[in-house]
């Protein structure tokens, strides 16, 4: 300490609480508590496992709920029960087994709201931040009732302390219970016997990233009372769009219970995306149409069943790298008050948090109890909620051992051997914001990865910014330079051009600069590396030539994505040209900016784009050559010299080493359907049509000489993005060795006919 204010705090001003003082202050808490004449429920010993609140039949056939909370360094724990009027009854959990406080309370049934008060030292200088004035959410709560409003009372420290540099060291003794959500006891009575998981192989997958609220909120076919909810996503109108599009999995933006950040609430905004989790077992209550006293659990399960019945898997975007408690100046909502040092990575100055996430804190996944929390949560969502996989936000932060990213880390090792988790779909966002955090291509087998190098190469090619096509060649053919090791396959690459984070597909061809003013951060938020091209005018325009070019660029980007080797990921609304008005960081835009605009389908342009998307996804499903399960060899497999993959210049000649290093706007790739590795389920060889794909990013039309014998005698055009209406490709056939006319900035997909 150096400043007078810090010295004052150390001497006791602001009352850093000594060891044990939390017990003595128990009766000093203010708030609505059961009166002196109230009958307190009995607390029987119960069991330390499973963690959380579990309704069951106890001794002598008595129904009740077992409560169990890991709080390693705590001195004591109180279970707090709340009735419908908000009156609190506190019960001491006196049983302690392996650092787990537990007890069975007879008569406590599903629907009961509860929380914890945890007693211990207040000494932020050593990382101890226990404060029994703060009601804490059970990390294992299966449902959460209420909103996080974040008034000063929910902070463990005096938020408005006059010396702000030490404010986080001064304990706030005001009761937070009236201002925070409560956990809800839920009855687990669903065995999923009637559910049929699609179990789509990775190579056959087409992922559709969507936001439960944003996808359904403006859908005219969904009843108004169901829009924005799990029930809305399960509605036939929503399912019909997904089924007709042909996607095999929805990847849901975070649906774990999350909180809104204080800086957003102060500006009248809310966290829309949900990357601010606080309850890893609870479906976000605001997305429930049926209620928040446990009904959200059943509604989520019914949504999963409906998607499964439609042949669609459910993948959750999960945020286990940090929590909504933020840094040392953040609120005390759960883990911080249970055992700060036990759950979070702290710096050598234990008052501060290690932040590899850019969100103020990082969960300490090396700690056994944290690893258990995460894996218990994952298994719960698979076994009891029916989901089929996970996309891990900032997964590199989870793979850190003590400091550095380690692909032999405890987290990855546990996932690899877990009999439940190793069988589901695992997607890594393979980076975090810490040193050495960029790990694209480094995750082990079982894992797939968001491939941002695919995104960047495809964007750069279509805006004319690639110096050559070496990188593009790798990206279109499965990124073997990144993934051809350790038994990994082409489907390790999750190919995407857009994601929730960044421009929409339409904005990618309409804006060169971000326009995030509505976020209230002076347009400083969001990336400046958009790799976009506005086609000559920034933003919306009435110029028919510009709009025609933009529609063509949309078709180019969509076609490139869906014919590339790897697993394609579409973003909800991109298939119909959704715009966010140039906002490339719409995380706080819970309104028309962030929601899918279904009225676009009243216009011919968006309808045509949707039809093209359906056509391309169907083409992909029909042809295994577009869904390869092994990397291309690039070598001749037969005496005629044909290879499984070949690259051609516009002259019709195979590309040489010099061609790969030369600037070019035209590239052709030949995919052989005769040489697909592997066999089908009956052991027969997999044989398919062969295809020639021509990509031309030049501003003028060009001719492309289609390879002749032995590659093909003829070619039939299947897709031509130069055309607004793909019906115009019908009957267009070219002979091998002849010239194919290719429109400016367009893609042609041609099927070999002989």
């Amino acid at each position: 300490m150096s400043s007078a204010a810090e010295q004052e705090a150390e001497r006791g001003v602001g009352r850093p609480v000594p060891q044990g003082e939390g017990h003595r202050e128990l009766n000093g808490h203010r708030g609505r508590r059961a009166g002196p004449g109230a009958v307190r429920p009995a607390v029987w010993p119960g069991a330390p496992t499973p963690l959380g609140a579990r309704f069951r039949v106890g001794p002598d056939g008595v129904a009740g709920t077992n409560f169990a909370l890991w709080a390693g360094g705590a001195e004591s724990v109180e279970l707090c029960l709340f009735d419908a009027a908000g009156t609190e009854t506190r019960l001491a959990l006196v049983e302690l087994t392996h650092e787990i406080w537990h007890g069975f309370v007879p008569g406590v049934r599903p629907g009961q709201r509860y929380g914890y008060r945890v007693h211990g030292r207040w000494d932020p200088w050593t990382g101890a931040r226990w404060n029994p004035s703060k009601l804490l959410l059970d990390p294992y709560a299966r449902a959460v009732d209420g909103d996080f409003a974040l008034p000063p009372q929910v902070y463990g420290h005096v938020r408005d302390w006059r010396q702000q540099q030490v404010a986080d060291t001064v304990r706030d003794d005001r009761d937070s219970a009236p201002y925070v959500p409560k956990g809800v006891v839920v009855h687990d009575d669903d065995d999923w016997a009637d559910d049929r998981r699609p179990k789509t192989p990775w190579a056959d997958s087409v992922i559709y990233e969507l936001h439960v609220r944003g996808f359904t909120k403006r859908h005219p076919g969904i009843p108004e009372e169901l829009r924005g909810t799990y029930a809305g996503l399960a509605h036939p109108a929503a399912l019909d769009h997904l089924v007709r599009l042909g996607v095999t999995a929805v990847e849901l933006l975070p649906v774990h219970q999350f909180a809104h950040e204080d800086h957003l609430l102060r500006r009248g905004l809310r966290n829309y995306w949900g990357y601010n989790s606080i309850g890893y077992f609870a479906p976000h209550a605001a997305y429930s149409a049926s209620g928040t006293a446990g009904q959200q659990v059943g509604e989520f399960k019914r949504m999963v069943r409906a998607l499964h019945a439609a042949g669609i898997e459910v993948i959750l975007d999960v945020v286990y790298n940090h929590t909504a408690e933020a840094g040392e100046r953040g609120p005390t909502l759960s883990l911080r008050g249970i055992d700060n040092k036990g759950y979070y990575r702290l710096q050598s100055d234990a008052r501060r948090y290690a932040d590899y996430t850019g969100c103020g804190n990082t969960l300490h996944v090396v700690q056994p109890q944290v690893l258990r929390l995460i894996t218990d949560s994952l298994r719960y969502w698979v076994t009891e909620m029916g989901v089929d996989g996970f996309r891990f936000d900032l997964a590199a932060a989870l793979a850190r051992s003590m400091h550095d990213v380690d692909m032999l880390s405890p987290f990855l090792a546990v996932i690899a051997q877990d009999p439940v988790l190793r069988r589901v779909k695992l997607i890594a966002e393979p980076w975090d914001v810490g040193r050495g955090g960029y790990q694209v291509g480094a995750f082990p087998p079982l894992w797939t990865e968001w491939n941002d190098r695919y995104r960047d190469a495809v964007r750069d090619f279509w805006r004319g910014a690639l110096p050559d096509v070496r990188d593009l060649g790798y990206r279109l053919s499965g990124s073997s330079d990144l993934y051809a090791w350790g038994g990994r396959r082409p489907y390790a690459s999750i190919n995407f051009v857009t994601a929730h984070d960044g421009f929409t597909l339409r904005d990618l061809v309409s804006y060169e600069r971000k326009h995030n003013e509505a976020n209230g951060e002076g347009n400083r938020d969001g990336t400046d590396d958009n790799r976009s091209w506005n086609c000559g005018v920034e933003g919306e325009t009435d110029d028919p030539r510009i709009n025609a070019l933009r529609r063509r660029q949309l078709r180019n980007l969509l076609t490139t994505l869906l014919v590339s080797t790897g697993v394609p990921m579409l973003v909800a609304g991109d298939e119909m040209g959704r715009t966010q008005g140039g906002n490339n960081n719409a995380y706080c835009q819970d309104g028309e900016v962030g929601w899918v605009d279904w009225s676009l389908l009243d216009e011919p342009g968006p309808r045509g784009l949707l039809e093209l998307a359906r056509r391309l996804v169907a083409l992909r499903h029909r042809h295994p050559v577009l869904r390869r399960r092994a990397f291309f060899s690039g070598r001749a497999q037969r005496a005629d010299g044909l290879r499984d993959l070949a690259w051609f210049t516009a002259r019709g000649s195979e590309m040489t080493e010099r061609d790969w290093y030369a600037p070019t706007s035209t590239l052709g790739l030949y995919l052989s359907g005769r040489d697909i590795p592997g066999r089908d389920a009956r052991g027969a060889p997999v044989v398919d049509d062969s295809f020639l794909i021509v990509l031309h990013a030049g501003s003028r039309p060009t001719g492309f000489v289609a390879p002749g014998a032995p590659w093909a005698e003829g070619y039939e055009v299947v897709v031509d993005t130069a055309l607004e209406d793909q019906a115009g490709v019908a009957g267009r056939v070219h002979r091998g060795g002849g010239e194919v006319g290719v429109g400016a900035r367009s893609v042609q997909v041609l099927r070999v006919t002989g």
Side-chain angles (χ1 to χ4, degrees):
M1 295 187 186
S2 57
S3 70
E6 289 174 322
Q7 292 170 10
E8 185 181 45
E10 187 176 36
R11 288 195 302 272
V13 177
R15 306 185 62 258
V17 181
Q19 179 83 20
E21 189 172 341
H23 280 300
R24 296 196 297 273
E25 294 200 341
L26 175 60
N27 294 326
H29 294 304
R30 296 184 298 274
R32 300 186 63 179
R33 301 181 57 184
V39 178
R40 291 179 176 271
V43 182
W44 298 351
T49 57
L51 290 168
R54 289 296 186 97
F55 174 73
R56 62 179 176 84
V57 176
D60 301 322
V62 176
T65 299
N66 192 82
F67 295 88
L69 176 74
W70 183 92
E75 296 172 3
S76 63
V77 172
E78 289 179 295
L79 169 66
C80 306
L81 305 178
F82 294 84
D83 65 15
T87 302
E88 176 182 357
T89 300
R90 300 183 188 177
L91 306 172
L93 297 182
V94 298
E95 300 294 330
L96 180 62
T97 305
H98 303 311
E99 300 185 314
I100 296 171
W101 301 81
H102 55 91
F104 179 85
V105 185
V108 170
R109 306 186 68 83
Q112 173 67 58
R113 299 189 305 151
Y114 74 100
Y116 291 106
R117 297 184 188 272
V118 181
H119 299 257
R121 292 184 305 115
W122 175 265
D123 186 11
W125 306 102
T126 62
R129 293 183 179 270
W130 284 283
N131 185 344
S133 299
K134 309 306 167 184
L135 185 76
L136 306 174
L137 183 67
D138 180 3
Y140 280 73
R142 304 301 175 93
V144 177
D145 181 45
D147 288 328
F148 291 95
L150 302 188
Q153 290 88 343
V154 306
Y155 289 77
H157 64 281
V158 180
R159 185 178 172 188
D160 55 355
W161 187 251
R162 61 187 181 276
Q163 289 93 14
Q164 277 293 297
Q165 66 271 29
V166 292
D168 69 285
T169 69
V170 183
R171 198 180 79 175
D172 187 317
D173 291 325
R174 289 175 289 184
D175 186 10
S176 70
Y179 309 99
V180 294
K182 281 71 176 177
V184 181
V185 176
V186 174
H187 186 25
D188 300 317
D189 60 351
D190 201 331
D191 62 7
W192 290 91
D194 60 340
D195 182 62
R196 296 293 180 267
R197 294 178 184 260
K199 297 183 179 179
T200 307
W202 257 128
D204 299 338
S205 297
V206 177
I207 297 173
Y208 189 77
E209 187 192 43
L210 68 81
H211 189 288
V212 168
R213 179 170 167 84
F215 182 73
T216 61
K217 190 62 178 173
R218 300 179 69 184
H219 197 301
I222 298 174
E224 189 169 355
E225 66 274 14
L226 300 183
R227 295 176 190 173
T229 69
Y230 306 119
L233 184 54
H235 190 272
L239 297 175
D240 178 69
H241 180 80
L242 299 172
V243 170
R244 294 183 65 197
L245 182 56
V247 298
T248 67
V250 290
E251 183 177 305
L252 305 182
L253 267 68
V255 295
H256 288 166
Q257 185 69 41
F258 63 86
H260 305 289
E261 294 91 332
D262 178 71
H263 70 91
L264 292 177
L265 295 173
R266 286 173 178 239
R267 297 200 299 270
L269 299 170
R270 296 164 65 85
N271 187 314
Y272 170 57
W273 286 348
Y275 291 91
N276 205 38
S277 299
I278 195 62
Y280 290 128
F281 291 77
H284 189 61
Y287 300 159
S288 173
S290 53
T292 61
Q295 298 95 331
Q296 60 265 54
V297 177
E299 185 175 327
F300 185 93
K301 291 178 178 180
R302 291 189 293 274
M303 176 197 71
V304 172
R305 276 192 173 86
L307 287 160
H308 283 177
I312 297 170
E313 294 183 305
V314 179
I315 298 170
L316 301 188
D317 196 334
V318 290
V319 188
Y320 295 112
N321 54 77
H322 76 281
T323 76
E325 292 186 301
E328 58 270 13
R329 297 188 182 215
T332 296
L333 306 174
S334 183
L335 304 182
R336 173 178 283 132
I338 295 170
D339 192 326
N340 188 51
K341 292 191 294 184
Y343 279 108
Y344 291 116
R345 288 180 179 267
L346 304 180
Q347 298 183 24
S348 55
D349 172 6
R351 177 184 160 195
R352 313 291 185 189
Y353 292 79
D355 183 8
Y356 296 108
T357 67
C359 299
N361 65 54
T362 307
L363 281 176
H364 202 346
V365 181
V366 174
Q367 297 276 23
Q369 65 276 5
V370 181
L371 190 58
R372 179 180 181 182
L373 171 67
I374 295 172
T375 53
D376 282 353
S377 168
L378 292 169
R379 282 190 291 268
Y380 171 75
W381 287 96
V382 174
T383 60
E384 297 192 42
M385 300 296 273
V387 307
D388 305 286
F390 306 93
R391 179 265 188 189
F392 292 83
D393 180 64
L394 300 182
L398 299 173
R400 289 184 181 271
S401 290
M402 293 310 295
H403 299 288
D404 295 332
V405 178
D406 179 7
M407 291 304 159
L408 298 176
S409 67
F411 172 74
L412 294 178
V414 166
I415 295 293
Q417 61 78 42
D418 189 282
V420 172
L421 301 180
R422 70 188 181 198
R423 298 173 65 88
V424 303
K425 287 183 165 63
L426 303 171
I427 306 172
E429 182 184 35
W431 50 77
D432 64 21
V433 302
R435 186 180 65 181
Y438 186 76
Q439 294 289 324
V440 172
F443 276 72
L446 294 183
W447 287 82
T448 64
E449 300 175 15
W450 271 24
N451 188 350
D452 66 326
R453 290 185 60 179
Y454 177 93
R455 174 199 66 197
D456 292 350
V458 170
R459 288 186 180 192
D460 281 347
F461 177 75
W462 285 112
R463 71 187 180 109
L466 278 183
D468 54 54
V469 290
R470 285 175 294 160
D471 197 46
L472 182 67
Y474 276 119
R475 305 307 145 233
L476 298 177
S477 59
S479 295
S480 60
D481 58 328
L482 299 176
Y483 302 113
W485 63 273
R488 301 186 82 183
R489 300 296 183 93
Y491 47 78
S493 177
I494 305 297
N495 297 334
F496 66 103
V497 178
T498 59
H500 67 274
D501 187 3
F503 280 152
T504 66
L505 200 67
R506 175 170 164 181
D507 289 353
L508 193 66
V509 301
S510 304
Y511 297 89
E512 292 190 9
R513 301 181 303 278
K514 65 187 181 185
H515 296 269
N516 298 355
E517 290 80 6
N519 297 351
E521 300 178 37
N523 206 34
R524 293 184 300 273
D525 62 306
T527 183
D528 293 311
D529 184 22
N530 296 296
R531 300 174 187 247
S532 59
W533 178 48
N534 64 17
C535 298
V537 174
E538 184 73 359
E540 296 300 313
T541 179
D542 294 329
D543 188 323
R545 292 177 300 172
I546 297 293
N547 286 329
L549 175 56
R550 288 175 176 175
R551 291 193 298 271
R552 183 178 297 194
Q553 288 288 80
L554 290 177
R555 296 192 293 271
N556 292 336
L557 291 163
L558 197 60
T559 301
T560 304
L561 174 65
L562 288 168
V563 299
S564 295
T565 300
V567 177
M569 184 185 79
L570 299 166
V571 179
D574 274 355
E575 74 276 19
M576 61 185 85
R578 183 177 77 89
T579 179
Q580 292 178 168
N583 192 322
N584 74 351
N585 189 35
Y587 77 106
C588 57
Q589 295 301 318
D590 187 6
E592 292 188 359
V593 170
W595 302 340
V596 174
D597 181 5
W598 295 92
S599 70
L600 288 168
L601 294 180
D602 296 334
E603 305 170 17
R607 287 200 306 272
L609 187 65
L610 175 59
E611 288 304 318
L612 175 63
R614 291 170 175 166
R615 184 187 188 98
L616 289 164
V617 173
L619 183 74
R620 187 176 185 90
H621 287 322
R622 285 197 306 271
H623 292 287
V625 72
L626 300 175
R627 314 188 313 272
R628 286 179 59 99
R629 288 162 165 76
F631 287 105
F632 295 99
S633 70
R635 296 187 295 271
Q637 305 293 319
R638 307 185 186 201
D640 58 13
L642 285 180
R643 292 183 295 283
D644 56 1
L645 172 69
W647 303 90
F648 292 90
T649 69
R651 302 181 302 275
S653 59
E654 289 194 63
M655 292 185 68
T656 65
E657 187 78 7
R658 182 176 181 179
D659 292 323
W660 284 110
Y661 284 84
T664 184
S665 59
T666 309
L667 180 67
L669 63 154
Y670 183 99
L671 307 176
S672 173
R674 299 192 317 174
D675 304 299
I676 301 174
R679 297 180 295 169
D680 65 17
R682 297 177 179 272
V686 178
V687 179
D688 191 17
D689 293 328
S690 298
F691 287 88
L692 174 68
I693 301 168
V694 179
L695 301 96
H696 175 57
S699 60
R700 297 179 180 275
T702 190
F704 190 96
V705 177
W711 302 100
E713 295 179 6
Y715 298 88
E716 175 191 10
V717 181
V718 177
V719 172
D720 183 354
T721 64
L723 303 176
E724 294 268 5
D725 184 354
Q726 294 305 301
V729 304
R732 287 174 51 188
V733 178
H734 301 276
R735 62 177 179 82
E739 185 172 278
V740 177
V742 181
R745 295 192 174 96
S746 67
V747 183
Q748 284 194 33
V749 180
L750 304 100
R751 184 178 64 86
V752 170
T753 58

